[in-house]
Amino acid sequence: MPTLRRAVRYEQKQQRRQAILDVAWEMAQHQPHAAITMNDVADRAGLAKGTIYLYFRTKEELLLAVLEQQLRAWFDEVDVQLQQAQDSHAGSITHVAQIICASLEARPAMARLLAILHSVLEQNIELEAAVRFKQMLLKHLTRTGALLEACLSFLQPGQGAHVFLQAQALIIGLQHLADPSPIVRQALAEPGMDIFEVDFAREFATTFAALLYGIEAKGSNE
Amino acid sequence: MPTLRRAVRYEQKQQRRQAILDVAWEMAQHQPHAAITMNDVADRAGLAKGTIYLYFRTKEELLLAVLEQQLRAWFDEVDVQLQQAQDSHAGSITHVAQIICASLEARPAMARLLAILHSVLEQNIELEAAVRFKQMLLKHLTRTGALLEACLSFLQPGQGAHVFLQAQALIIGLQHLADPSPIVRQALAEPGMDIFEVDFAREFATTFAALLYGIEAKGSNE
Amino acid sequence: MPTLRRAVRYEQKQQRRQAILDVAWEMAQHQPHAAITMNDVADRAGLAKGTIYLYFRTKEELLLAVLEQQLRAWFDEVDVQLQQAQDSHAGSITHVAQIICASLEARPAMARLLAILHSVLEQNIELEAAVRFKQMLLKHLTRTGALLEACLSFLQPGQGAHVFLQAQALIIGLQHLADPSPIVRQALAEPGMDIFEVDFAREFATTFAALLYGIEAKGSNE
Amino acid sequence: MPTLRRAVRYEQKQQRRQAILDVAWEMAQHQPHAAITMNDVADRAGLAKGTIYLYFRTKEELLLAVLEQQLRAWFDEVDVQLQQAQDSHAGSITHVAQIICASLEARPAMARLLAILHSVLEQNIELEAAVRFKQMLLKHLTRTGALLEACLSFLQPGQGAHVFLQAQALIIGLQHLADPSPIVRQALAEPGMDIFEVDFAREFATTFAALLYGIEAKGSNE
DNA sequence: AATGAATGAGGATTCATTCAT
DNA sequence: TATGAATGAATCCTCATTCAT
């Protein structure tokens, strides 16, 4: 329930906005996005349906904002870890892969949102929201990419961001493979199907490390 | 349009089934799956709505069957190419990556279907259809994986299929990145956003090749 | 047609709800329930389809509410009549049967709804609606049953409600017999079939009276 | 599975028709009529869907024929019992009511079919089937009615059939009351709702007996 | 700013029945 | 007579979004 009756000042409005985001994030962690209704979000936030729309233009913008917040936190954490890795001269490929992998493993719901970013969250939004999100992504991609370059000396200037984008593709693809529908999960219980049972974190670590080794070996990624 | 009035014999039924698949595939090439309605499929196939359901239990099973057919053709083509590459001792990493990349580039709609395989096509289907699809995938993964191993001598026995699964994840992820919504495309037109403009085929070739180099360099993928 | 644009206050909402009920009742009087579509109800009420569902969860709940309203009015009328009969010491069995019969005769559509109460109206409803309806019925059964006992001195305490339930069974059964399908009506035109031509009101009066005489004669109904 | 490939002779056709009826009756005993599909009937009879339609014009005619057969058997049994009752001078009202009640209790599925006779089974049939059914009913009503008159001396000539029709109405109505939907059953679990928990057989015996006592007491039923 | 009543598009699916073979 | 492929009508309900209050 909101503490304030009317959010008049900017700060109050931000608080309310955050309260809505918190509720949506809470829900996103426990159910697929299709099961999340704006009605539920409003109810759980102690607000009226229409009020949600004062803060987010569409359901997709709301969930995109949720993902944005999670991504920010994720990037920040990765940044700290990469910084530490660099300081301690522990910037090996495996270590870097482990850092990213571990941070992802701690955020399964974020990976799930990321997996529907293009097919759902970016579908029913305004230009403004799209630009904002992409600029956020760009900023972090650049910053974290730079840190990556600092950790992995074989990366050329500017290549870090690109590698991170490749990582993003990997996350999305592996998340899809690792999260089958109930009926498919059942099908995969048949003998011989083991290959399809993908452990997201493990697979990501392996594959991303291999990718980095490849870049290192070949000297270029273009 | 169906050539036969009543599909009585098995062969005729297969023809009709194929006719429906053709229509659906045609539509899948020109519009997003959400825009495809069973009504339209029936109309374009010159059949009644109920008739479609005689051959496919749900819309998802129909589209899954479409994808299955495309994947079969794709795997077969890749197999032929890999075979040739192997025969001609041209089995370098770059060459292999090029083969797969080129075959994908010729099938944009297939890649688009693959990108929604887990989130859509595998959602409203019967166990039987799921098993059938996964077994098809398994068969081709195994066969093409073996050919891959023959081409790339650094791959260990059984690793080929796994590499192909990694390729699948890459395809899905990159397809998502490369196929933004109209509004996002507009956002990406802003200066500085170039990094997000992903050319699917080019990016796949680069990344997949890097992945293979990494596997080669590191000796293992586990 | 609704007189109010937006039903904000409780009273306004009740008015709107009533407007919908009125439309549904109007339709129920002129066509079988299967011919009533929610689309039609909405159109005739000058509302959008979704608005109907704001007031009634399913088509069955809507029609159940219609029946509920009719039953209330019916019970109320019967109560008044029984009261009068009792006051005027005219509480003979025939008189009581006549009262109920006449009130039913004035409500053919209600009897028709009552005849599908169990097979249709109570099938696709929520527990809440079921409880509400049954409690309404219980209340009236008790009240009217008590009046019946006052009119017919041979009834034991508490027997009135039970007798009314027997009357309900009779109404349902006779309504079925008296309302044949067109084709059956045609069949009954053949000579010798006269026995099947049931005049609902007349038959109810006769049979219900007989039932009461039997209870009077035997002293008990258990 | 049918023993004969092609039913050519009249006798063979009757056998096949009976086989279908048996299957339908079997199904009617275990599931509500809406759950019975012609597909299932055909499958279980080892016949093709179309073949069913060679013997019964519609689903309703099939189920009507099932009911007809059951009614025949029921009337026959009741006839035997009434005959015995008459012979043994045991033709009291209670005894007669018990006979009919017991025979009904042994046929719950028949009572269920009877309850939907007018609302369903007689709705989508041809004139011929309607006439045939009603004539069957008339014949038995007359015969059993006569036996009833023999048992219950207070009945006037011709009144027996009419009493049986009243019994039919009672059966239909009480069957509806006694067979609530799952959700209503749940609602009736609440305290105070006991009055609605109708035991079909018991209630029928009581009410029918009361009806007969009333007729006896009043001397007439018209 | 907040409310919540009103909107209405939107489409898959079943199954009794027919009829070509 | 038997088959089973083909038909197609028929409609409920959800839920994101809007906008009057």
Side-chain angles (χ1 to χ4, degrees):
Chain A
M1 247 142 295
T3 42
L4 299 140
R5 204 60 175 149
R6 254 172 196 241
V8 183
R9 287 178 304 165
Y10 176 76
E11 196 178 70
Q12 292 170 318
K13 286 197 239 181
Q14 283 311 102
Q15 270 185 31
R16 180 142 302 178
R17 188 185 140 94
Q18 188 55 48
I20 298 171
L21 284 172
D22 290 345
V23 166
W25 170 236
E26 180 64 24
M27 295 180 78
Q29 285 175 285
H30 299 301
Q31 51 196 304
H33 86 278
I36 300 175
T37 73
M38 292 299 259
N39 225 333
D40 275 358
V41 173
D43 280 356
R44 298 207 190 193
L47 296 169
K49 226 184 308 181
T51 308
I52 307 293
Y53 283 87
L54 291 175
Y55 294 87
F56 302 95
R57 258 184 297 252
T58 67
K59 179 182 173 182
E60 284 74 24
E61 285 199 14
L62 167 58
L63 290 174
L64 187 65
V66 167
L67 176 58
E68 178 177 337
Q69 201 154 67
Q70 295 301 318
L71 283 176
R72 279 182 199 277
W74 178 58
F75 275 115
D76 285 346
E77 189 192 288
V78 169
D79 287 356
V80 169
Q81 307 264 330
L82 288 180
Q83 193 77 48
Q84 289 177 353
Q86 183 189 358
D87 294 348
S88 63
H89 304 277
S92 75
I93 283 177
T94 332
H95 190 54
V96 164
Q98 271 312 321
I99 286 172
I100 298 178
C101 171
S103 64
L104 281 174
E105 205 166 5
R107 293 171 165 77
M110 186 193 80
R112 237 179 301 133
L113 282 178
L114 202 56
I116 58 167
L117 171 60
H118 304 83
S119 57
V120 179
L121 307 192
E122 289 185 349
Q123 289 301 336
N124 188 21
I125 62 177
E126 299 263 305
L127 179 59
E128 185 200 327
V131 169
R132 179 197 156 107
F133 182 83
K134 287 300 179 188
Q135 275 172 345
M136 180 280 296
L137 210 52
L138 181 60
K139 192 188 78 184
H140 281 290
L141 237 37
T142 311
R143 178 190 301 169
T144 311
L147 282 168
L148 209 59
E149 290 163 25
C151 278
L152 305 171
S153 51
F154 61 85
L155 289 180
Q156 291 168 11
Q159 203 177 357
H162 184 241
V163 166
F164 231 92
L165 215 57
Q166 292 174 309
Q168 198 191 330
L170 221 45
I171 293 168
I172 293 172
L174 288 175
Q175 176 64 39
H176 278 242
L177 293 189
D179 194 25
S181 72
I183 204 74
V184 171
R185 199 180 295 275
Q186 206 177 325
L188 298 188
E190 305 252 321
M193 297 286 198
D194 324 274
I195 197 178
F196 293 119
E197 307 233 341
V198 172
D199 174 9
F200 174 73
R202 183 190 163 87
E203 192 65 35
F204 175 79
T206 309
T207 312
F208 187 54
L211 179 61
L212 291 176
Y213 280 121
I215 294 172
E216 180 185 39
K218 199 56 206 309
S220 163
N221 190 23
E222 282 303 316
Chain B
M1 251 137 295
T3 45
L4 298 136
R5 206 56 182 151
R6 224 155 233 250
V8 177
R9 283 176 309 163
Y10 176 77
E11 198 179 65
Q12 293 171 315
K13 285 194 252 186
Q14 285 308 104
Q15 273 183 34
R16 179 133 305 173
R17 185 184 143 96
Q18 189 54 48
I20 298 170
L21 283 172
D22 290 346
V23 166
W25 171 234
E26 179 65 23
M27 296 180 78
Q29 284 175 288
H30 299 301
Q31 52 196 303
H33 86 277
I36 300 175
T37 72
M38 292 300 260
N39 228 332
D40 277 357
V41 173
D43 281 354
R44 298 207 191 192
L47 296 169
K49 224 177 308 182
T51 309
I52 307 293
Y53 284 89
L54 239 40
Y55 292 87
F56 302 96
R57 258 186 295 256
T58 65
K59 179 182 171 181
E60 284 74 24
E61 284 198 16
L62 167 58
L63 290 175
L64 187 65
V66 168
L67 176 58
E68 178 177 337
Q69 199 153 69
Q70 296 301 319
L71 283 175
R72 278 181 199 279
W74 177 58
F75 275 114
D76 285 346
E77 189 191 289
V78 169
D79 286 356
V80 169
Q81 306 263 330
L82 288 180
Q83 192 76 49
Q84 290 176 353
Q86 184 191 355
D87 295 348
S88 62
H89 303 281
S92 75
I93 284 177
T94 333
H95 190 54
V96 164
Q98 272 310 321
I99 285 172
I100 298 178
C101 171
S103 63
L104 280 174
E105 205 166 5
R107 293 170 163 79
M110 186 192 81
R112 235 178 304 129
L113 282 178
L114 201 57
I116 58 167
L117 172 59
H118 305 82
S119 57
V120 179
L121 306 193
E122 289 184 349
Q123 289 299 336
N124 189 23
I125 63 177
E126 298 263 305
L127 179 59
E128 186 199 327
V131 169
R132 180 194 156 109
F133 182 83
K134 287 299 177 189
Q135 275 171 347
M136 178 281 296
L137 209 53
L138 182 61
K139 193 188 79 184
H140 280 291
L141 236 38
T142 310
R143 179 190 301 167
T144 310
L147 283 168
L148 210 59
E149 291 164 25
C151 280
L152 305 171
S153 51
F154 60 86
L155 289 180
Q156 290 167 11
Q159 204 177 0
H162 184 241
V163 166
F164 232 91
L165 213 59
Q166 292 175 309
Q168 197 191 332
L170 222 44
I171 293 169
I172 293 173
L174 289 174
Q175 176 62 40
H176 278 243
L177 294 189
D179 192 27
S181 72
I183 205 74
V184 170
R185 197 179 298 276
Q186 204 176 325
L188 299 187
E190 307 251 323
M193 297 284 199
D194 323 274
I195 196 176
F196 294 118
E197 307 237 339
V198 172
D199 174 9
F200 173 73
R202 181 190 165 87
E203 192 65 36
F204 175 80
T206 309
T207 312
F208 188 54
L211 180 61
L212 291 175
Y213 280 122
I215 294 172
E216 180 184 38
K218 201 54 207 306
S220 162
N221 190 24
E222 284 301 322
Chain C
M1 249 138 295
T3 44
L4 298 136
R5 205 60 183 147
R6 226 157 231 249
V8 178
R9 283 176 308 162
Y10 176 77
E11 195 178 67
Q12 292 170 316
K13 285 195 249 184
Q14 285 308 103
Q15 274 183 33
R16 180 134 301 175
R17 187 185 142 95
Q18 189 55 49
I20 298 170
L21 284 172
D22 290 346
V23 166
W25 170 235
E26 179 65 23
M27 296 180 77
Q29 285 175 287
H30 298 302
Q31 51 196 305
H33 85 278
I36 300 175
T37 74
M38 290 300 259
N39 232 331
D40 276 359
V41 172
D43 281 354
R44 297 206 191 194
L47 296 170
K49 223 179 308 182
T51 309
I52 307 294
Y53 285 90
L54 238 42
Y55 293 88
F56 301 96
R57 260 186 293 255
T58 66
K59 180 182 170 181
E60 284 73 25
E61 284 199 13
L62 167 58
L63 291 174
L64 187 65
V66 167
L67 175 58
E68 178 177 337
Q69 200 154 69
Q70 295 302 319
L71 283 175
R72 278 180 199 280
W74 178 58
F75 275 114
D76 286 346
E77 190 192 288
V78 169
D79 286 357
V80 169
Q81 306 265 329
L82 289 180
Q83 192 75 50
Q84 290 176 353
Q86 184 191 356
D87 295 346
S88 63
H89 303 280
S92 75
I93 284 178
T94 332
H95 190 53
V96 163
Q98 272 311 322
I99 286 172
I100 298 178
C101 171
S103 65
L104 280 174
E105 204 166 6
R107 293 170 164 80
M110 185 193 81
R112 236 180 300 132
L113 283 178
L114 201 56
I116 58 167
L117 172 59
H118 304 83
S119 57
V120 178
L121 306 193
E122 288 184 348
Q123 290 300 336
N124 188 22
I125 63 176
E126 298 262 304
L127 179 59
E128 186 198 327
V131 169
R132 181 194 153 107
F133 183 83
K134 287 300 179 188
Q135 275 172 347
M136 179 279 297
L137 210 53
L138 181 61
K139 192 188 79 185
H140 281 291
L141 236 40
T142 310
R143 178 189 302 167
T144 311
L147 283 168
L148 210 59
E149 291 164 24
C151 281
L152 305 171
S153 51
F154 58 85
L155 290 180
Q156 290 168 9
Q159 204 178 356
H162 184 243
V163 166
F164 231 92
L165 214 60
Q166 292 174 309
Q168 198 191 329
L170 220 45
I171 293 169
I172 294 172
L174 289 175
Q175 176 63 39
H176 278 243
L177 294 189
D179 193 24
S181 73
I183 205 73
V184 170
R185 199 179 296 276
Q186 207 176 323
L188 299 187
E190 306 251 322
M193 297 283 198
D194 324 274
I195 196 177
F196 293 119
E197 307 237 340
V198 172
D199 174 10
F200 173 73
R202 183 191 162 86
E203 191 67 34
F204 175 79
T206 309
T207 312
F208 187 54
L211 179 62
L212 290 176
Y213 280 122
I215 294 172
E216 180 185 39
K218 199 57 208 305
S220 164
N221 191 24
E222 283 302 321
Chain D
M1 246 142 297
T3 41
L4 298 139
R5 204 59 173 150
R6 255 174 197 242
V8 182
R9 287 177 305 164
Y10 175 77
E11 197 178 71
Q12 291 170 317
K13 287 197 236 178
Q14 284 310 103
Q15 269 185 31
R16 181 141 301 179
R17 187 184 140 95
Q18 188 56 47
I20 298 170
L21 284 172
D22 289 346
V23 166
W25 169 235
E26 179 65 22
M27 296 180 77
Q29 285 175 286
H30 299 301
Q31 52 196 302
H33 86 277
I36 300 175
T37 73
M38 292 299 261
N39 225 333
D40 276 358
V41 173
D43 280 356
R44 298 207 190 191
L47 296 169
K49 226 183 311 182
T51 309
I52 307 293
Y53 283 88
L54 292 175
Y55 294 89
F56 302 95
R57 259 185 295 254
T58 67
K59 180 183 173 183
E60 284 74 24
E61 284 199 14
L62 167 58
L63 290 175
L64 188 65
V66 167
L67 175 58
E68 178 178 336
Q69 201 154 67
Q70 295 301 319
L71 283 175
R72 280 182 199 277
W74 178 58
F75 275 115
D76 286 346
E77 189 192 290
V78 169
D79 286 357
V80 168
Q81 306 263 331
L82 289 180
Q83 193 76 51
Q84 290 176 352
Q86 183 190 358
D87 294 349
S88 62
H89 302 281
S92 74
I93 283 178
T94 332
H95 191 54
V96 164
Q98 272 310 323
I99 286 172
I100 298 179
C101 170
S103 63
L104 281 173
E105 205 166 5
R107 294 171 164 77
M110 186 193 80
R112 237 179 301 132
L113 283 178
L114 201 56
I116 59 167
L117 171 61
H118 304 83
S119 57
V120 179
L121 307 192
E122 289 184 350
Q123 289 301 335
N124 189 21
I125 62 177
E126 299 262 306
L127 179 59
E128 185 199 327
V131 169
R132 178 195 157 108
F133 182 83
K134 286 299 179 188
Q135 275 173 346
M136 180 280 297
L137 210 53
L138 181 61
K139 191 188 79 183
H140 280 290
L141 236 39
T142 311
R143 178 190 300 169
T144 310
L147 281 168
L148 209 59
E149 291 164 23
C151 280
L152 305 170
S153 51
F154 59 85
L155 290 180
Q156 290 168 12
Q159 203 179 357
H162 184 243
V163 165
F164 232 92
L165 213 59
Q166 292 174 308
Q168 199 191 331
L170 221 43
I171 293 169
I172 294 172
L174 288 175
Q175 176 65 39
H176 278 243
L177 293 190
D179 194 25
S181 73
I183 204 75
V184 170
R185 198 180 296 275
Q186 205 177 325
L188 298 188
E190 306 251 323
M193 296 284 198
D194 324 272
I195 196 177
F196 294 119
E197 307 235 340
V198 172
D199 174 10
F200 174 72
R202 182 189 164 88
E203 193 66 35
F204 176 79
T206 309
T207 312
F208 188 53
L211 180 61
L212 291 175
Y213 280 121
I215 294 171
E216 181 185 37
K218 199 58 207 305
S220 164
N221 191 24
E222 283 303 318

